[in-house]
């Protein structure tokens, strides 16, 4: 049993679920960025304390908060690097991804919110098939925060839990983006998903 409650079998099941659902998300993102090849690799799963969630990031990062409103009771957060968001926005606007200088603005947040809405909507459809129940999400809420502002990040989650599952994916978009995307689940939500999957 892991220190925060997930054993190896549960972590393996969560990895399989994440791999399948985010695989379909790659197709959705590709359609938004000029049909460039999008590759989201097999995830790495670790257990962290909520306060450690932003340790891998410098300066600012983009948080995309998603609530499940049907089929599952919980939420998760996607964390993206600022430059990656700017590159994705440029691609969505018909550019080649090279226009990512300057300040992050509402256009970037709106674009990445739409991209994550499409991606996570596709992932929810996959979860529906995996878990054999209808799963739906709310429109994402997007914030950019300074990595020092952990307290702001902690307020985004309604959950009082401190233990989280961190799912890290390598994200590649053509030759433009070669980076990491992180998905965070409260531990109780991760346990609910794998239980519905028939594990635990």
């Amino acid at each position: 049993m892991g220190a925060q409650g997930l054993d190896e079998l549960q972590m393996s099941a969560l990895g399989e679920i994440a791999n399948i659902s985010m695989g379909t998300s790659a197709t959705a993102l590709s359609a938004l960025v000029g049909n460039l090849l999008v590759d989201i690799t097999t995830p790495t799963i670790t257990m962290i304390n909520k306060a450690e969630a932003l340790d891998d990031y410098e300066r600012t990062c983009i948080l995309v908060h998603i609530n499940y409103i049907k089929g599952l009771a919980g939420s998760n957060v996607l964390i993206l690097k600022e430059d990656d968001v700017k590159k994705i926005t440029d691609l969505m606007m018909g550019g080649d991804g090279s226009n990512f200088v300057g300040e992050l603005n509402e256009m970037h947040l709106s674009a990445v919110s739409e991209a994550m809405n499409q991606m996570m909507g596709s992932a929810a459809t996959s979860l529906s098939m995996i878990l054999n129940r209808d799963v739906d999400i709310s429109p994402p809420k997007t914030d950019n925060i300074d990595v020092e502002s952990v307290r702001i990040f902690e307020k985004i989650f309604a959950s009082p839990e401190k233990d989280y599952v961190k799912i890290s994916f390598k994200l590649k978009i053509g030759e433009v983006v070669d980076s990491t995307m992180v998905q965070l689940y409260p531990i109780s939500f991760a346990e609910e998903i794998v239980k519905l999957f028939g594990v635990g």
Side-chain angles (χ1 to χ4, degrees):
M1 183 73 70
Q4 285 85 16
L6 287 187
D7 61 28
E8 289 186 12
L9 186 60
Q10 289 173 311
M11 290 178 68
S12 177
L14 191 62
E16 183 176 349
I17 293 166
N19 194 36
I20 294 170
S21 62
M22 294 306 284
T24 61
S25 294
T27 302
L29 181 57
S30 177
L32 295 174
V33 294
N35 293 313
L36 289 176
L37 177 64
V38 175
D39 186 25
I40 301 177
T41 62
T42 302
T44 300
I45 300 178
T46 53
M47 303 292 176
I48 64 166
N49 184 283
K50 180 161 55 175
E52 302 170 328
L54 305 182
D55 286 356
D56 296 339
Y57 295 84
E58 298 177 3
R59 299 187 305 278
T60 58
C61 59
I62 313 305
L63 305 180
V64 184
H65 184 209
I66 296 130
N67 281 310
Y68 289 90
I69 57 175
K70 185 177 182 181
L72 293 169
S75 63
N76 70 96
V77 162
L78 292 166
I79 308 177
L80 295 161
K81 295 178 180 178
E82 182 177 325
D83 281 354
D84 294 341
V85 167
K86 292 176 182 177
K87 291 174 183 178
I88 289 169
T89 299
D90 190 39
L91 290 170
M92 289 175 68
M93 300 293 289
D96 61 5
S98 62
N99 182 21
F100 62 95
V101 296
E103 293 294 319
L104 192 80
N105 58 41
E106 287 299 320
M107 181 183 71
H108 297 115
L109 296 180
S110 177
V112 76
S113 182
E114 174 59 22
M116 294 302 109
N117 190 40
Q118 295 290 333
M119 289 177 67
M120 295 309 296
S122 179
T125 300
S126 289
L127 279 175
S128 297
M129 293 186 289
I130 295 168
L131 303 178
N132 196 29
R133 58 167 60 194
D134 289 339
V135 176
D136 201 3
I137 61 168
S138 65
K141 181 179 183 297
T142 307
D143 296 283
N144 63 305
I145 70 168
D146 187 286
V147 296
E148 300 298 326
S149 304
V150 176
R151 282 180 294 181
I152 296 174
F153 166 70
E154 291 180 347
K155 288 179 183 177
I156 291 174
F157 274 117
S159 169
E161 292 181 72
K162 294 188 180 298
D163 296 323
Y164 280 72
V165 179
K166 176 181 178 181
I167 308 175
S168 301
F169 303 89
K170 285 291 292 181
L171 171 66
K172 293 184 178 182
I173 304 176
E175 301 296 323
V176 180
V177 174
D178 186 353
S179 189
T180 301
M181 179 173 66
V182 169
Q183 189 173 25
L184 297 176
Y185 286 126
I187 192 78
S188 61
F189 187 51
E191 289 173 337
E192 178 191 358
I193 292 174
V194 295
K195 186 175 182 180
L196 290 170
F197 191 57
V199 177

